[in-house]
Amino acid sequence: MSSVFESASREDLLAVIGLLQRQVEAAEAQAAELAAANERLTVRVAELERRLGRNSGNSSVPPSSDTFDRPEKKTAPKSGRKRGRQPGSSGSGLSMVADPNVVEEHLPASCTGCGSGLGPGDSVGFERRQVRDIPLSSVTVTEHRAHRCRCACGTVTAEPMPGEVAGSPSSYGPNLRALAVYLLVFQHIPVERTAILLGDVTGAEVSTGWVASLLPEAADLVADSLNLIRALLTMGHVLHADETTTRIGSVRRWLHVACTDFLTLLHLAPRSRKGADAGGVLPHYRGVLVHDSLSLYAGYGSCTHQLCGAHLIRELTAAEEDFPDQKWHQQIRWALAGLNRQAVRVRNQEIAEIVPGALLLHYEAFHQGVKVGLGLHPKVPGRKQSPAHNLLTRLRDQAHDVLRFADDPRHVPFTNNCGERALRPVKTQLKISGCHQSEDGATAWLDVRSYLDSTRKHGLTAFDAIHRAFTGNLWMPPIAQAT
């Protein structure tokens, strides 16, 4: 090979050198391209691993979405006590009533000594036992006869049928209709199984079509109550708002809720500002709106805001899992949790207010943690930023909305649990009964559920509430709502 180059001309050597340079440049370009691709794949894998590690403990996804790994529960420190009722604690057994409905006397027929007969007059005392049970229910048929009477003057006067009696010659009464709606809406029993249950327990051979027809009827009956609920929610001091998904047939739909500790209103609408407005509450609301960090709620400028602390805690937990060597997320979480503990003490009337020293300590820890976090996760070129940077920016720019609960601990809650609890029955309905098959059916179900949820918050049972609707004694929320 050396002899070939020794005999080669200068032009040939320059050509070889040029070829080798082009090969080196191509190899360097290919290496740079491979390095860039490797960097992109590394970032992509890290992002996918981050998403895969999200669960109900470190993000806003519901527990039903925990597919691979459920959040690890930290074991609480053991108290050293045995499980079960502790020595000295009061029992809670079934107590006897002073005035039972029925008394059955059990007397010995004859004396065990001499064999003489014994009667009530020979009693010198007794031992009591009380048994609680329900009567076996069965359908009773009541025939209503509206008579026509002829007066001596010759006029015939007809008495109208009672208002609760249907226009058909034979129908089911309000008790059975109320029970069917109670099973459908509150106990989440499917239509077909509701019909079977009513037949087995009461003997009423109802059809699935009749059961299904009760939902729109019940929704019409509770409409006046819902209108007042909507007005009272608009005038409330604190309001919770949230949203989740449901299904109608094979289509995913969004469900919104506006509620307080005493009232609930659910409605179907797109996940947008217009959809949230469709409930008729948020556009006119002027109090404190408690919600998650969804951007559509930020557009309501006529009210003040409180961001859900539980959502923020979960995001900080995710940041700790992503960056275990950093401490800013722990500091911010400590500050929020400490302020919440103080706010709970105020609501429980253990203290009159959060003392200024505790406020200052936790406020400084919060803002310092955000500042340190932004120093470690600065803004990068481009529109898309890291989840940590987005979280820290939100905590910095919306600090007043994050910490408002500490300014008014008696009224403003730290979390949006009230709104999340109002949405859970919808998920239960999907798991047990499946999705609704029409938007009208889903809307009717949500109207009745809103009515029942509101009545139960006022101490009325769900069956009594729906029974009152079917018997013309509709429950209406009191105008003066507790705060």
Side-chain angles (χ1 to χ4, degrees), residues 122-141:
D122 301 315
S123 176
V124 292
F126 54 84
E127 182 182 3
R128 293 196 305 159
R129 295 285 188 274
Q130 292 184 351
V131 178
R132 287 168 168 79
D133 206 348
I134 61 172
L136 293 176
S137 59
S138 60
V139 169
T140 58
V141 179

Side-chain angles (χ1 to χ4, degrees), residues 258-277:
C259 65
T260 66
D261 289 335
F262 302 96
L263 300 170
T264 300
L265 188 67
L266 301 156
H267 75 279
L268 284 172
R271 195 190 193 196
S272 62
R273 172 75 181 274
K274 185 177 180 181
D277 289 348

Side-chain angles (χ1 to χ4, degrees), residues 7-194:
S7 60
S9 63
R10 182 174 182 276
E11 289 76 10
D12 293 336
L13 290 176
L14 291 175
V16 171
I17 292 172
L19 176 62
L20 292 175
Q21 286 178 342
R22 287 193 296 273
Q23 289 179 348
V24 170
E25 291 173 355
E28 290 177 348
Q30 186 178 12
E33 184 178 349
L34 289 174
N38 182 64
E39 184 178 355
R40 289 194 302 270
L41 290 174
T42 301
V43 173
R44 178 62 174 165
V45 169
E47 173 65 15
L48 292 175
E49 288 179 344
R50 186 190 69 81
R51 294 183 184 180
L52 190 61
R54 293 299 174 259
N55 51 52
S56 58
N58 56 24
S59 68
S60 300
V61 301
S64 58
S65 301
D66 293 337
T67 306
F68 299 103
D69 294 322
R70 294 189 178 276
E72 181 181 355
K73 294 184 178 180
K74 297 181 179 179
T75 57
K78 295 184 178 180
S79 63
R81 299 183 301 177
K82 295 182 179 180
R83 297 181 63 181
R85 186 169 68 91
Q86 300 302 310
S89 62
S90 58
S92 57
L94 190 62
S95 60
M96 301 180 73
V97 299
D99 186 20
N101 302 101
V102 179
V103 176
E104 294 186 4
E105 306 287 356
H106 303 280
L107 297 166
S110 60
C111 175
T112 56
C114 65
S116 301
L118 299 174
D122 301 315
S123 176
V124 292
F126 54 84
E127 182 182 3
R128 293 196 305 159
R129 295 285 188 274
Q130 292 184 351
V131 178
R132 287 168 168 79
D133 206 348
I134 61 172
L136 293 176
S137 59
S138 60
V139 169
T140 58
V141 179
T142 301
E143 181 173 296
H144 294 266
R145 297 179 179 180
H147 288 266
R148 299 183 300 276
C149 298
R150 178 179 285 109
C151 180
C153 68
T155 302
V156 176
T157 302
E159 176 67 12
M161 284 288 181
E164 66 271 14
V165 177
S168 58
S170 183
S171 62
Y172 293 110
N175 294 346
L176 194 63
R177 301 210 301 275
L179 177 58
V181 173
Y182 168 79
L183 296 174
L184 282 174
V185 179
F186 191 72
Q187 296 298 344
H188 310 288
I189 300 179
V191 172
E192 184 177 1
R193 289 175 58 192
T194 296

Side-chain angles (χ1 to χ4, degrees), residues 334-335 339 342 354-368 403 406:
W334 174 86
L339 286 171
Q342 296 295 317
I354 302 178
V355 296
L359 276 176
L360 181 61
L361 173 66
H362 291 89
Y363 280 176
E364 288 181 347
F366 174 85
H367 290 291
Q368 183 64 24
L403 302 172

Side-chain angles (χ1 to χ4, degrees), residues 254-312:
W254 281 95
L255 168 70
H256 296 258
V257 63
C259 65
T260 66
D261 289 335
F262 302 96
L263 300 170
T264 300
L265 188 67
L266 301 156
H267 75 279
L268 284 172
R271 195 190 193 196
S272 62
R273 172 75 181 274
K274 185 177 180 181
D277 289 348
V281 176
L282 296 185
H284 315 290
Y285 186 65
R286 299 295 182 269
V288 179
L289 183 63
V290 186
H291 55 84
D292 55 25
S293 301
L294 190 64
S295 59
L296 72 87
Y297 297 118
Y300 293 102
S302 300
C303 60
T304 54
H305 299 261
Q306 168 64 52
L307 297 184
C308 176
H311 284 76
L312 298 174

